[in-house]
Amino acid sequence: MQLKQNDINRMEIKRSRILCWIPTSPTSLAGRAKSVKDTWGKRCDMLLFFSSKADSSFPAIGLNVGEGKSRLVNKTRASLRYIYQHHMHDADWFLKADDDTYVIMENLRYFLSKLNPSDPHYIGRMFTSYGGYNSGGAGYVFSRETLRIFKKALDEGGCPRGGGEDIFVGKCLRSQGVKPVSTRDSSGRETFFQFRTAPQLIPGRPPYEFLLNYSFPLPYKNGPDCCSDYPNTFHKVNPETMYLLEYLIYRVKVKT
């Protein structure tokens, strides 16, 4: 899993500004949120944490919303309104990642370098149910134009109600003609991961029923060919594994 610097150099990555925003909670700041801040979050051009309570020492931005899964839609709406109002022109791309999501920023930058942030892009792990949406856990990316469209839809009441946070975002953007697309690589392997990749890497292991049902008719793969050589995100990563991934990707070297 070692990301070789020569490989990165050969990619000729276009330097786009990425704002990373992380929904979290007061009880998660010292654990999950801190592990993001200490590891991959350092590679964002701007890193914002949103919570129900402001914390100037972390720092975390306080929103007038409650905590809990049922309130994630409200937290997302408030977060994106805040970003639009204060940072619309400070970045080209806006990455939403949970506080248990690990992102390989170099790979994400390369993926986005082929796209124009002035076009309406909505990037992530596409699920085909509910008309199509990107997994919130795997992380999704708005281009600057998509952020503008989303804010306009919120202001005009164009976002359908119902569903979880990521389903809501997908419905809202679809109502404006913005749809998710497959982000698999040229070999059909996943690059954004809703769950840990370890079970998928084991040949013959029973597949995640959730992924089977929500990805149909896209094929599901188990074994080494499940996953891209250049993954972008991993979800369901605890703080200890955050630091382990940081070590394995950026520090481990192999003697040759």
Side-chain angles (χ1 to χ4, degrees), residues 1-40:
M1 201 170 174
Q2 172 70 37
L3 194 65
K4 297 179 181 178
Q5 189 60 48
N6 288 340
D7 291 339
I8 296 298
N9 292 340
R10 285 197 295 268
M11 290 177 184
E12 298 180 352
I13 298 174
K14 178 184 176 182
R15 183 70 186 185
S16 293
R17 299 169 300 167
I18 301 177
L19 182 153
C20 306
W21 65 277
I22 318 295
T24 188
S25 67
T27 58
S28 296
L29 287 182
R32 302 200 320 187
K34 184 177 185 299
S35 70
V36 169
K37 186 179 177 182
D38 287 346
T39 59
W40 68 266

Side-chain angles (χ1 to χ4, degrees), residues 99-116:
D99 58 10
D100 62 345
T101 301
Y102 187 94
V103 183
I104 302 178
M105 290 298 296
E106 293 87 349
N107 288 353
L108 182 62
R109 287 187 190 280
Y110 175 62
F111 189 97
L112 296 175
S113 71
K114 298 172 281 186
L115 304 174
N116 187 342

Side-chain angles (χ1 to χ4, degrees), residues 207-237:
Y208 287 115
E209 289 294 329
F210 178 89
L211 293 182
L212 280 176
N213 295 334
Y214 278 54
S215 300
F216 184 83
L218 297 175
Y220 177 94
K221 296 181 180 180
N222 262 6
D225 287 334
C226 72
C227 311
S228 175
D229 293 343
Y230 293 97
N232 293 311
T233 69
F234 304 101
H235 188 216
K236 302 290 186 183
V237 179

